[in-house]
Amino acid sequence: SSEGLEFSTEFEIPTYFIDCGPECQRLVSEAPQGDTVSPNLKFLGHSGLATVAGLRVAFLCGTYDKEVYESSDSTPFEGGHYRKHCVEQLKEEVECLDVDVLLTCEWPQRLVRKLPPEEQKAVGEASPKEVRQRICSEVVTELVQACEPKFHICALGGKFYRRPAYLTKEGKSTCRTYCMGTIGGGSK
């Protein structure tokens, strides 16, 4: 629900988002399947598939927390953290579908795997190892493998990074990963 959320910016083009920040739990609780927050600004929901401008977009809000993830509670979210059954349901939804874009808050684990040394250095500059340990998730890695998206867009690193394209696990597509940063956060 958009009640109580105020935006000083008008969005000139349709803008879609997921969240893992302070408002995440409230957004997910009030609009688990998404909601229009203001004109041209839409919260996609806790997880699922959406068609945006003709593209099939899979998305997962929130971050990993071992205790919440493994809990048998029936709600999809707690305190801005997703549960296992929520992720498993998304994996089932994307099975046998071509996913154009995957949106996650967290980066996949092993983002630097199989990169040449100079590219591994660029990742380290964009997001040092200790930061990656906080923002990377094996769950997101598994989701990327299940979705095999053409593009994976993730956040939380604070700096922009574009990983060189790679062939997905099953070889269905080439995936390009873009890690979003903050304004003034630098770029790689």
Side-chain angles (χ1 to χ4, degrees), residues 2-9 37:
S2 61
E3 281 184 42
L5 295 178
E6 294 181 27
F7 294 91
S8 59
T9 302
V37 176

Side-chain angles (χ1 to χ4, degrees), residues 49 56-58 90-91 93-104 139-153 166-177:
L49 283 170
R56 184 172 289 135
V57 178
L90 180 55
K91 286 179 185 178
E93 285 182 60
V94 301
E95 194 172 351
C96 299
L97 295 176
D98 288 330
V99 174
D100 297 303
V101 179
L102 171 62
L103 298 176
T104 63
V139 172
V140 170
T141 301
E142 293 169 9
L143 191 55
V144 170
Q145 290 170 349
C147 290
E148 295 200 59
K150 293 171 184 70
F151 297 91
H152 177 208
I153 301 172
Y166 63 94
L167 196 59
T168 58
K169 186 176 181 179
E170 297 298 320
K172 284 188 349 189
S173 68
T174 299
C175 183
R176 291 160 182 84
T177 300

